[in-house]
């Protein structure tokens, strides 16, 4: 199975397991900068050189050797599950993608038909009931995660623990896991532990949010989107994420983690 979702710098100092909707664009650009002293022009997800990626055939052996011999600093980044699923909805379902089209072609029309989701359009300034549509999307996301229908779960809303576990199960070992909510501190700790080509000051790095500006803005506070049923669905889909990464399930408005990640616990529970 190898190491799907892994990016690595060309000098092998940084090994990153991508978790979608957890600052992956910014992390990828920082990795690219740490090798080349410049940022990649465009979306780092489109880069096919200058950064090793498991999706590039010629990179796979290099990544596998580095991971299994534990060269470089292996890390990933996590995010509050409430904020992450909301971000997935506003970006991938309600938003227009950078190619000017809807995500995954006919997905949104299917959701409109099957789940009654409305998302508006740029022409009506994305005028729709955000709370009602999000809750219907959440039901769909749960169905994909729990029952794998009407489709397999998308990487943007499948559980973080699922992404993170493949790296461990196939022989990798995380040196650090940090929080999106404490991004500068966590990313700087990773960089300070690594022997990069170029020193990077995270405070000076711009944020690379490739989805920003292509869809509606969230109009309500986080807790408004989650009634009792929605919170039940979130727990059903993301229970491990809340428990392993110490996020507050009881208060959706508290985006901050309540404790540090226990790497031993993560490896023990996700490596089974």
């Amino acid at each position: 199975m190898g190491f799907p979702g892994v990016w690595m710098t060309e000098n092998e100092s940084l090994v990153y397991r991508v978790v979608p909707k957890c600052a992956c664009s910014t992390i990828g650009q920082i990795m690219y900068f740490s090798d080349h002293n410049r940022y990649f022009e465009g979306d780092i997800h489109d880069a096919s050189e200058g950064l090793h990626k498991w999706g590039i055939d010629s990179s796979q052996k290099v990544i596998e050797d580095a991971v299994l011999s534990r060269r470089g600093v292996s890390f990933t980044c996590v995010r509050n599950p409430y904020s992450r699923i909301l971000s997935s909805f506003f970006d991938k379902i309600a938003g227009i993608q950078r190619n000017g089209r809807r995500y995954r072609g006919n997905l949104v029309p299917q959701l409109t038909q099957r789940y009654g989701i409305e998302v508006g359009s740029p022409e009506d300034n994305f005028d729709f009931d955000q709370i009602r549509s999000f809750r219907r999307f959440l039901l769909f996301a749960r169905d994909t995660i729990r029952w794998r229908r009407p489709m397999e779960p998308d990487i943007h809303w499948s559980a973080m623990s699922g992404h993170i576990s493949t790296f461990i199960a196939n022989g990798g070992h995380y040196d650090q896991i940090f929080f999106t909510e404490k991004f500068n501190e966590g990313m700087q700790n990773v960089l300070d532990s690594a022997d990069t080509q170029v020193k990077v000051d995270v405070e000076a790095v711009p944020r690379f949010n490739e989805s920003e500006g292509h869809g509606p803005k969230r109009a309500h506070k986080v807790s408004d989107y989650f009634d009792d049923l929605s919170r039940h669905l979130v727990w059903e889909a993301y229970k491990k994420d809340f428990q392993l990464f110490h996020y507050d399930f009881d208060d959706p408005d508290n985006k901050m983690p309540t404790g540090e990640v226990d790497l031993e616990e993560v490896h023990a529970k996700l490596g089974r």
Side-chain angles (χ1 to χ4, degrees), residues 19 31 37 47 62 68-69 81 108 111 121 124 128 136 139 147 149 161 173 191 204 233 254 260 262:
V19 179
M31 292 172 69
N37 204 25
V62 187
L68 295 179
S69 62
V108 172
L111 295 184
S121 68
D124 64 14
F128 67 100
R136 292 179 177 186
L139 186 62
W147 314 115
R149 33 176 223 264
S161 51
H173 185 279
L191 291 165
L233 296 175
N254 177 23
E260 294 303 312
D262 182 334

Side-chain angles (χ1 to χ4, degrees), residues 219-239:
H220 310 279
K221 64 181 182 178
V222 173
S223 59
D224 288 343
Y225 293 88
F226 298 93
D227 61 0
D228 286 346
L229 174 60
S230 302
R231 291 177 60 192
H232 172 78
L233 296 175
V234 165
W235 184 251
E236 196 175 348
Y238 306 117
K239 177 181 177 181

Side-chain angles (χ1 to χ4, degrees), residues 184-240:
N184 286 12
E185 175 189 342
M187 189 72 233
Q188 195 66 62
N189 285 341
V190 170
L191 291 165
D192 290 347
S193 304
D195 186 19
T196 56
Q197 293 279 93
V198 179
K199 294 300 177 190
V200 184
D201 176 8
V202 177
E203 296 284 348
V205 174
R207 287 294 173 264
F208 295 89
N209 185 349
E210 300 298 342
S211 61
E212 195 168 22
H214 300 290
K217 300 290 186 195
R218 180 159 59 82
H220 310 279
K221 64 181 182 178
V222 173
S223 59
D224 288 343
Y225 293 88
F226 298 93
D227 61 0
D228 286 346
L229 174 60
S230 302
R231 291 177 60 192
H232 172 78
L233 296 175
V234 165
W235 184 251
E236 196 175 348
Y238 306 117
K239 177 181 177 181
K240 265 189 185 174

